[in-house]
Amino acid sequence: MLKAVGVGIPEHLHRVSVHSCTGGELRVRHDMEGWLPLCGHGLEAPDNYSAAIAWQLAEAA
Protein backbone atom coordinates (compact mmCIF):
# COMPACT_ATOMS: atom_id res chain seq x y z
CA MET A 1 0.00 0.00 0.00
CA LEU A 2 2.76 2.42 0.84
CA LYS A 3 4.35 2.01 -2.58
CA ALA A 4 1.04 3.18 -4.09
CA VAL A 5 1.66 6.59 -2.54
CA GLY A 6 5.40 6.54 -3.18
CA VAL A 7 6.61 6.85 0.41
CA GLY A 8 9.15 4.94 2.45
CA ILE A 9 7.86 1.88 4.26
CA PRO A 10 9.84 2.11 7.54
CA GLU A 11 8.69 5.65 8.29
CA HIS A 12 4.99 5.12 7.55
CA LEU A 13 4.10 1.46 8.13
CA HIS A 14 2.74 2.11 11.63
CA ARG A 15 0.30 4.72 10.27
CA VAL A 16 -1.50 2.42 7.81
CA SER A 17 -3.81 -0.51 8.52
CA VAL A 18 -5.10 -3.02 5.98
CA HIS A 19 -8.03 -5.38 6.61
CA SER A 20 -9.31 -8.14 4.33
CA CYS A 21 -12.96 -7.99 3.29
CA THR A 22 -15.04 -10.47 1.33
CA GLY A 23 -14.33 -10.86 -2.37
CA GLY A 24 -10.65 -9.91 -2.07
CA GLU A 25 -11.33 -6.24 -1.34
CA LEU A 26 -8.98 -4.61 1.15
CA ARG A 27 -10.07 -1.86 3.52
CA VAL A 28 -7.19 0.58 3.97
CA ARG A 29 -7.12 3.19 6.71
CA HIS A 30 -4.42 5.79 7.43
CA ASP A 31 -3.96 8.89 9.54
CA MET A 32 -1.68 10.79 7.19
CA GLU A 33 -2.68 14.39 6.59
CA GLY A 34 -2.76 15.25 2.90
CA TRP A 35 -2.93 11.66 1.64
CA LEU A 36 -5.76 10.72 -0.67
CA PRO A 37 -7.86 7.63 0.15
CA LEU A 38 -6.21 4.29 -0.64
CA CYS A 39 -7.88 1.24 -2.15
CA GLY A 40 -6.62 -2.29 -2.54
CA HIS A 41 -7.49 -5.75 -3.77
CA GLY A 42 -5.85 -9.03 -2.80
CA LEU A 43 -4.24 -11.17 -5.50
CA GLU A 44 -3.51 -14.89 -5.69
CA ALA A 45 -0.17 -15.80 -4.15
CA PRO A 46 1.75 -18.97 -3.30
CA ASP A 47 1.27 -20.50 0.15
CA ASN A 48 2.82 -18.42 2.96
CA TYR A 49 2.89 -15.26 0.79
CA SER A 50 0.55 -12.29 0.36
CA ALA A 51 0.03 -10.16 -2.72
CA ALA A 52 -2.15 -7.13 -3.44
CA ILE A 53 -2.56 -4.24 -5.83
CA ALA A 54 -3.15 -0.78 -4.41
CA TRP A 55 -4.09 2.61 -5.78
CA GLN A 56 -5.02 6.08 -4.64
CA LEU A 57 -8.34 7.64 -5.47
CA ALA A 58 -8.05 10.73 -7.66
CA GLU A 59 -9.81 12.83 -5.03
CA ALA A 60 -11.09 12.50 -1.48
CA ALA A 61 -14.46 10.79 -1.18
Side-chain angles (χ1 to χ4, degrees):
M1 296 300 160
L2 295 173
K3 287 301 182 186
V5 270
V7 299
I9 292 172
E11 309 87 66
H12 299 93
L13 185 60
H14 67 283
R15 306 206 49 196
V16 176
S17 64
V18 180
H19 300 277
S20 295
C21 299
T22 58
E25 182 181 343
L26 301 174
R27 185 177 56 204
V28 184
R29 302 275 188 252
H30 64 77
D31 64 359
M32 296 295 295
E33 188 174 321
W35 281 18
L36 295 172
L38 294 169
C39 297
H41 193 83
L43 303 172
E44 283 191 40
D47 289 344
N48 300 314
Y49 287 86
S50 296
I53 187 168
W55 62 94
Q56 283 185 299
L57 295 178
E59 55 188 52

